[in-house]
Amino acid sequence: MKQVIYADGVVTKLQALRDEFDNKYGNKKSVDILRKITGRLDDLGRFNSGESTKDRFGIDSDYMVIYSYHNFFFYLEQDDQIVILEMFNEREDFIYVLFGIPMRSHESIDYWGE
């Protein structure tokens, strides 16, 4: 079984997500949701249930990805570890942040003024 390690940035984002859920749904529900998310990630150590970025997005990379509760988690598999490197909400432009590939056309940006 591989050990699952979380990068500091992912831990910070998970804590922020828990705070957001605490405010929206209450502590009991937020703990339940976060337990399901981290449980799924921890299961990567036993079952490789993620996908390559090539299979999921058509991007050739060493990163693997898993989707859980409206969030994408990017990780690398090493000899005896799985390192969760990044966490992005599904609404974030994570393809551009990680790979520098814009997912929006210039027409869209011009129209919306962003």
Side-chain angles (χ1 to χ4, degrees), residues 3-29:
Q3 179 184 14
V4 178
I5 298 172
Y6 295 83
D8 291 340
V10 174
V11 172
T12 301
K13 286 182 176 183
L14 285 170
Q15 289 170 339
L17 187 61
R18 181 178 175 180
D19 292 343
E20 178 186 336
F21 288 162
D22 275 348
N23 291 331
K24 285 184 181 179
Y25 310 116
N27 182 266
K28 184 177 179 183
K29 183 72 173 175

Side-chain angles (χ1 to χ4, degrees), residues 1 6 22 27 30 46 52 61-62 64 70 99 104 112:
M1 182 167 116
Y6 295 83
D22 275 348
N27 182 266
S30 71
R46 289 179 278 165
S52 72
S61 168
D62 291 338
M64 299 289 290
H70 306 286
F99 306 107
R104 297 182 52 211
W112 293 105

Side-chain angles (χ1 to χ4, degrees), residues 36-111:
K36 288 178 182 177
I37 291 172
T38 57
R40 180 143 189 223
L41 296 172
D42 290 340
D43 282 346
L44 289 171
R46 289 179 278 165
F47 316 106
N48 187 356
S49 54
E51 301 174 82
S52 72
T53 53
K54 178 120 178 111
D55 291 343
R56 180 73 182 214
F57 303 111
I59 298 170
D60 195 20
S61 168
D62 291 338
Y63 287 130
M64 299 289 290
V65 63
I66 190 167
Y67 181 79
S68 182
Y69 286 87
H70 306 286
N71 293 281
F72 287 96
F73 295 86
F74 290 86
Y75 64 95
L76 288 175
E77 292 185 43
Q78 298 175 345
D79 295 330
D80 58 346
Q81 297 178 334
I82 293 178
V83 183
I84 312 290
L85 297 170
E86 294 285 350
M87 172 187 168
F88 294 99
N89 184 277
E90 65 187 0
R91 294 185 208 135
E92 292 181 77
D93 192 0
F94 53 87
I95 298 296
Y96 182 73
V97 172
L98 284 176
F99 306 107
I101 301 170
M103 297 304 291
R104 297 182 52 211
S105 68
H106 290 290
E107 291 84 12
S108 172
I109 293 169
D110 290 343
Y111 178 81

